[in-house]
Amino acid sequence: MARYAVIDVGTNSVKFNVSERREDGTWRTVVDRAEITRLGEGLQETGEINSDAMERTVSAIGAMAAEAQDNGVTAIVAVGTMGMRIAGNSDQFIDAVQQRCGVRIEVIPGEEEGRLAYLAVKSGLGLAEGSLVIFDTGGGSTQFTFGRGASVEERFSLNVGAVRFTEEYGLGGMVSPAQLRTALDAIAADLARLGTGRSPDALVGMGGAITNIAAVKHGLAKYDPDIVQGSVIERAEIERQIELYRSRSLDDRRKIVGLQPKRADVILAGACIVMTVMDKLSKDELSVSDRGLRHGLLIDRFAS
């Protein structure tokens, strides 16, 4: 049975998946993990990927490429998202990865990111027919896909990411209620394209922020994708976690069961984005998809 690898280079983390395609067309996961490398660290201020972030990320991709080869993959596909779309020196980073890791990163547009996310969610969650909104919030951007049944009706990407808002509004540690309100207002303004009043039959969140929120809700000392996949998160739980993060220092956040320590500084911004999306779409709850862009890529590129 053929094995394939996908590397998703995001603004905050690099996600890696090796899967085996069975003869009946279904997939068996061999490796599925992520490493937080902060490729977009300082990107908003300089417009470029800094040398330390570049080195961290190249090293992580190199280790993933080697692991893929050790697992006997037939092919590797690597894609870059918002951070690489906006960085002025993305070509330099792409060349460094190719030279050192033997992998060529393809920078995909936000619309394609949304299409692949929709594909991943529809294949991974048994959702009933009806209107569906999927959003994937990352370090640099949030992708939205609106659909009905198997059909995608609208896709777009907004420059609303957890790293950006953490840096701009100082959300990495204890935050005053007034400071939080300012950040929430800014997030709402940047999500204005969502409008108000249109409420889908189902809302699905994906990405590091929402999967960490689910892990904290379940108190997962060790991340379990089978528990996170399909979890239902209520708005009241998002509010509870926002207060939990707002009232704690960075060191104290790192002690919260279920929260990745490396994500502790950006989780408040991520939770604020999630809550604002729910408000804009008039939803009191959402479902969580542990499957993301990497799973959509597997299906799109290697299913036939």
Side-chain angles (χ1 to χ4, degrees), residues 135 137 142 144 158 160 165 171 180-198 203 210 213 235 238-239 242 268-284 286:
F135 72 101
T137 183
T142 302
F144 294 91
L158 298 177
V160 178
F165 279 94
L171 303 182
L180 178 66
R181 184 71 260 164
T182 299
L184 283 166
D185 288 345
I187 291 168
D190 280 3
L191 290 174
R193 183 170 174 178
L194 291 180
T196 55
R198 57 175 175 176
L203 177 65
I210 193 64
I213 287 168
R235 189 185 188 283
I238 303 291
E239 289 181 333
I242 285 175
L268 175 57
C272 288
I273 292 168
V274 170
M275 187 175 74
T276 305
V277 170
M278 296 176 76
D279 290 346
K280 291 282 187 182
L281 297 175
S282 302
K283 297 297 289 184
D284 291 327
L286 59 78

Side-chain angles (χ1 to χ4, degrees), residues 24 69 129 137 182 204 244:
D24 63 1
Q69 296 300 336
E129 294 299 304
T137 183
T182 299
V204 176
L244 182 69

Side-chain angles (χ1 to χ4, degrees), residues 82-122:
M82 176 59 84
M84 292 185 64
R85 288 197 289 268
I86 66 175
N89 60 342
S90 282
D91 287 345
Q92 178 187 342
F93 173 64
I94 290 169
D95 289 343
V97 170
Q98 184 162 23
Q99 290 169 12
R100 290 175 52 183
C101 311
V103 174
R104 184 74 181 178
I105 299 173
E106 171 192 350
V107 181
I108 59 173
E111 291 77 10
E112 174 70 354
E113 202 173 341
R115 182 186 74 83
L116 292 167
Y118 193 85
L119 184 60
V121 168
K122 290 296 291 183

Side-chain angles (χ1 to χ4, degrees), residues 115-196:
R115 182 186 74 83
L116 292 167
Y118 193 85
L119 184 60
V121 168
K122 290 296 291 183
S123 70
L125 293 175
L127 298 172
E129 294 299 304
S131 59
L132 169 65
V133 176
I134 296 167
F135 72 101
D136 184 350
T137 183
S141 65
T142 302
Q143 289 71 46
F144 294 91
T145 304
F146 293 73
R148 183 174 293 276
S151 301
V152 173
E153 297 174 342
E154 183 181 10
R155 296 188 296 263
F156 55 85
S157 178
L158 298 177
N159 187 21
V160 178
V163 172
R164 173 195 159 197
F165 279 94
T166 297
E167 293 180 351
E168 287 191 11
Y169 293 92
L171 303 182
M174 291 185 70
V175 175
S176 70
Q179 191 178 355
L180 178 66
R181 184 71 260 164
T182 299
L184 283 166
D185 288 345
I187 291 168
D190 280 3
L191 290 174
R193 183 170 174 178
L194 291 180
T196 55

